[in-house]
Amino acid sequence: DIGDFEIKSITGFRGFDAVFNNDTDFSPFVVFHNLNQGYEQEQFSQELQLVGSVFDGALDIVLGAYYFDEDGSQSNELLTSVATVNGFPNAPLFLADLRSAQNESQALFGQATWHLLDDRLHLTAGLRYTDDVKDYSVDSAVNPTVAPLVTLTGQQSSEEVTPMFNASYDFSEDVM
């Protein structure tokens, strides 16, 4: 608590690791079989808010900052026994790839609600600035033991300012 205001901290962390093996052709034969599908993901978020009221509760204010960071990857190896490799029919063929993504988001925001007419009319205005960056890469190879990896990378980013306006009126305790 800081006078009429309080500081709130909201922190989150989540992560998982998983490995899957499956027969993707759903037959008793090894036609298409995933040897390893590994998934890993971790994310962290932190939000700080300054929340309070001024003018004897007539104006509610929220100011804040938000941060989000995520790293994830998926590895996949596909085995098929019906391919022809280097002139050998039904030779094992491996298709392998590793996909990874890294996402980061940052935001600053503020919102104010003015309570008028005996706290029945509420006028709200807010503004949020968001900066997002998403990086990804895909490493792929057909039979990585003999063929080189092909790497594809990319990035998507955006910056946006988002306004918000709202007017509401409480006709009674049960009806707005």
Side-chain angles (χ1 to χ4, degrees), residues 45-146:
S45 64
Q46 177 64 55
E47 184 170 334
L48 293 174
Q49 297 178 356
L50 180 65
V51 180
S53 296
V54 293
F55 307 124
D56 294 325
L59 181 65
D60 294 331
I61 298 171
V62 178
L63 299 173
Y66 178 76
Y67 176 77
F68 174 82
D69 184 64
E70 175 186 38
D71 291 302
S73 66
Q74 173 190 2
S75 63
N76 188 32
E77 296 174 8
L78 179 67
L79 168 67
T80 175
S81 64
V82 295
T84 300
V85 177
N86 297 330
F88 297 101
N90 296 322
L93 172 67
F94 294 94
L95 303 173
D97 65 26
L98 173 64
R99 303 168 193 171
S100 62
Q102 201 277 327
N103 302 317
E104 186 176 71
S105 181
Q106 302 171 49
L108 297 173
F109 57 90
Q111 180 173 303
T113 301
W114 194 273
H115 305 285
L116 305 165
L117 302 177
D118 294 329
D119 286 340
R120 296 179 71 155
L121 176 65
H122 314 281
L123 303 176
T124 303
L127 194 64
R128 180 182 181 98
Y129 166 76
T130 305
D131 182 11
D132 290 330
V133 177
K134 300 176 187 302
D135 293 304
Y136 66 89
S137 69
V138 178
D139 296 322
S140 294
V142 175
N143 201 345
T145 59
V146 295

